Amino acid sequence: MLVSLIQVPLFLSYLGREQFGVWVLAIQVSAWLQLLDGGMNGALARFIIDYRREPRGEQLRSCLATGMRVLLVQGVLVFALAATLGLGAQTLFGLPGKDAEPFSRIMLVLGVSGMLGFMNKVPQSWLYGCQRLDLANLVGLVMAPFELLLLVCFLSTGHGVMSLAWARLLMAGTALCITWWIAIRWVDFPWRLVRGGWDAPMFRLLAGFGGGMFLLTL
């Protein structure tokens, strides 16, 4: 919360109102694209709670393997849509030419960040399913000041509004590595199980539960 309060006056002082407005629009569009999750993240966490104590591990294997594949496809779709929406900045959002070009570049970088974020949902779900929210919160606590440091470094070196996008990308990549490492090293993530194949009945089960969460989010 403190970092969020610091960020807005920091952005305005370095970027001005117009460039800050372009960033806010890009972030809003990126946030809407996150709805493509369709509740899969929450559904995966929910069923991990049920299956992780199963003696044979068949249901857990099916849940993790199917959930990971769905989230990877969703992540690629988020990247593709972000890049496409960025190219349509003038037509879709009425941005003038001088703002359309940085908006397109921002959306491309945010698309990659979003894709990395979807790849991070599997270990996040594992931490939640294993009731290790303390570790998830610790990652957030470490990443918040790191993000602020990145922003100050990029802004002070004259990268303009792209500073915010590059910082977001580095944050997403770092969070991905840290969360996977914690899940595997500290919470015994069963990596061998995700090598299993696609399971259509499990997908229907995850999608059915996730659909309700998706409607609630909407």
Side-chain angles (χ1 to χ4, degrees):
M1 290 177 66
L2 287 173
V3 170
S4 298
L5 289 172
I6 293 170
Q7 283 181 350
V8 174
L10 180 70
F11 295 163
L12 287 171
S13 64
Y14 273 100
L15 303 177
R17 295 176 64 183
E18 281 194 27
Q19 282 195 311
F20 179 64
V22 171
W23 170 252
V24 171
L25 174 62
I27 283 295
Q28 187 65 56
V29 174
S30 180
W32 277 99
L33 289 178
Q34 292 299 309
L35 290 174
L36 290 172
D37 171 275
M40 185 58 60
N41 188 30
L44 184 59
R46 165 67 181 82
F47 287 104
I48 284 173
I49 294 172
D50 284 346
Y51 299 147
R52 72 185 187 91
R53 298 295 187 188
E54 183 195 15
R56 294 181 58 190
E58 288 299 319
Q59 292 287 77
L60 181 60
R61 179 204 60 77
S62 177
C63 180
L64 287 173
T66 303
M68 174 175 277
R69 283 158 176 77
V70 173
L71 287 167
L72 284 175
V73 171
Q74 290 173 331
V76 172
L77 185 58
V78 164
F79 168 73
L81 285 175
T84 303
L85 290 171
L87 292 174
Q90 288 180 283
T91 304
L92 295 173
F93 305 109
L95 292 177
K98 65 183 179 64
D99 292 331
E101 184 181 351
F103 180 82
S104 298
R105 287 187 279 117
I106 290 170
M107 288 305 300
L108 186 63
V109 176
L110 288 180
V112 178
S113 303
M115 183 169 60
L116 294 177
F118 270 76
M119 294 170 62
N120 201 23
K121 289 178 184 288
V122 176
Q124 287 175 345
S125 296
W126 180 254
L127 293 180
Y128 184 89
C130 295
Q131 299 181 3
R132 293 310 308 266
L133 290 179
D134 56 328
L135 294 176
N137 291 336
L138 182 61
V139 174
L141 184 64
V142 170
M143 296 304 294
F146 177 60
E147 180 184 14
L148 185 60
L149 178 63
L150 284 174
L151 286 168
V152 172
C153 290
F154 278 121
L155 287 169
S156 61
T157 51
H159 286 83
V161 70
M162 285 303 296
S163 301
L164 283 59
W166 293 126
R168 182 65 62 95
L169 178 59
L170 285 174
M171 282 279 295
T174 305
L176 177 67
C177 294
I178 291 176
T179 309
W180 270 111
W181 181 77
I182 287 176
I184 294 172
R185 185 69 181 271
W186 291 4
V187 199
D188 297 322
F189 181 85
W191 181 253
R192 69 189 185 282
L193 296 183
V194 300
R195 294 189 299 232
W198 169 269
D199 189 306
M202 179 59 68
F203 170 71
R204 289 193 292 269
L205 187 64
L206 291 169
F209 185 85
M213 299 188 69
F214 173 72
L215 290 176
L216 182 62
T217 303
L218 281 180

